[in-house]
Amino acid sequence: METAIRKGKTPFHANHIFPFGLSQSGYFSSSESEALVAYGDTLYGLQNGLISPENAEEAMFVMELNSDETATLYAVKLWQKFLFAMTTSNGF
């Protein structure tokens, strides 16, 4: 994923939701899984206000994520896909 969004401080695996890993969940392609592992920690922090945007793309991520309009950023589309998969996976 080519982006100005910073990579997460730790790899994002969401093992509590997808115990066999993001790539084995059946929801994500290989490249989507790799992007979530690399950037998911940051995307989670931006969504929940745990970290503040440090650049224009991160600010746009927060704005688009909280908007009813169709997302244009790949990171927003991927994170929305993750959120949907999380709510429809077994156990939730």
Side-chain angles (χ1 to χ4, degrees), residues 3-35:
T3 182
I5 295 174
R6 59 200 134 130
K7 288 188 176 181
K9 290 187 178 189
T10 60
F12 183 79
H13 295 290
N15 289 336
H16 61 288
I17 301 162
F18 303 108
F20 299 106
L22 294 165
S23 63
Q24 299 298 316
S25 69
Y27 290 99
F28 310 104
S29 69
S30 177
S31 61
E32 289 171 333
S33 297
E34 289 173 12

Side-chain angles (χ1 to χ4, degrees), residues 3 6-7 14 32 36 41 44-45 55-56 58 63 69-73 76 80 91-92:
T3 182
R6 59 200 134 130
K7 288 188 176 181
E32 289 171 333
L36 284 169
D41 185 54
Y44 176 84
N55 59 50
E58 289 182 359
M63 183 184 74
E69 300 295 319
T70 302
T72 59
L73 283 179
V76 175
Q80 288 172 333
F92 280 87

Side-chain angles (χ1 to χ4, degrees), residues 44-91:
Y44 176 84
L46 289 168
Q47 175 195 7
N48 293 295
L50 301 173
I51 58 175
S52 297
E54 289 188 353
N55 59 50
E57 192 168 346
E58 289 182 359
M60 183 178 257
F61 172 84
V62 173
M63 183 184 74
E64 284 193 11
L65 194 61
N66 294 313
S67 172
D68 291 334
E69 300 295 319
T70 302
T72 59
L73 283 179
Y74 175 75
V76 175
K77 293 176 185 179
L78 179 59
W79 192 246
Q80 288 172 333
K81 183 176 181 176
F82 170 78
L83 295 174
F84 177 78
M86 183 177 71
T87 59
T88 59
S89 68
N90 292 331

